[in-house]
Amino acid sequence: MTTDSLETRIRRKLTRQHFMHHIGADLTSITEGRVEAELQLEHQHQQHSGFAHGGLVATMADLVAGFAAVTLVPEGTGVVTVELKTSYLHPGVGQRLRAVGWVLKAGRRLHFCEAEVWCDTLLIAKATATMAVLEPTVG
């Protein structure tokens, strides 16, 4: 699979990622088994103390882990998150979130992934995720 066709395929799937667009996230790097995304932090992303909301941070980790898994499945096949564990290391205070996700092991039915979420230059969260591979339905 060429890089161009991989990126084109993933970008086509992104058009249906309504929540990702709603929060303002965008994929910035797509390679086989690895995806990066960024988001400019704004007021609506903050929790009561002014930090990036934990749900937002987990969403960014889930997004990149899931799309990293998608890069390794055939066209027409999808993935869904069956488990996500996020460890918060520091509060997210800054201008920009950057999330990096990669596949540790791609299996026939499950992909095991990891992700990191950075706020500016500080690592604020680490996550592990298990993605179930959804075979295309026939008929």
Side-chain angles (χ1 to χ4, degrees), residues 5 10 28 46 65 77 82-83 96 117 132 137:
S5 66
I10 299 304
T28 56
Q46 296 174 357
T77 304
V82 294
E83 181 180 51
R96 179 177 63 100
V117 181
T137 57

Side-chain angles (χ1 to χ4, degrees), residues 5-112:
S5 66
L6 174 66
E7 183 153 349
T8 299
R9 182 169 65 92
I10 299 304
R11 295 262 176 224
R12 188 169 42 252
K13 284 185 177 278
L14 284 175
T15 63
R16 297 188 310 269
Q17 288 296 317
H18 306 296
F19 188 67
M20 185 189 92
H21 299 298
H22 176 71
I23 63 172
D26 187 34
L27 295 189
T28 56
S29 175
I30 302 167
T31 57
E32 285 189 27
R34 184 179 175 93
V35 167
E36 296 185 24
E38 291 186 4
L39 174 144
Q40 284 300 123
L41 282 173
E42 298 179 16
H43 185 72
Q44 71 264 21
H45 297 128
Q46 296 174 357
Q47 47 82 288
H48 64 278
S49 296
F51 308 149
H53 192 281
L56 175 72
V57 174
T59 295
M60 291 294 286
D62 183 51
L63 173 71
V64 295
F67 269 103
V70 168
T71 67
L72 299 179
V73 298
E75 179 74 36
T77 304
V79 302
V80 294
T81 307
V82 294
E83 181 180 51
L84 178 69
K85 181 202 181 289
T86 305
S87 296
Y88 300 92
L89 309 173
H90 296 282
V93 178
Q95 303 300 308
R96 179 177 63 100
L97 290 185
R98 182 175 63 89
V100 182
W102 59 93
V103 177
L104 289 174
K105 181 187 180 296
R108 200 173 105 249
R109 298 261 182 231
L110 298 174
H111 284 28
F112 298 93

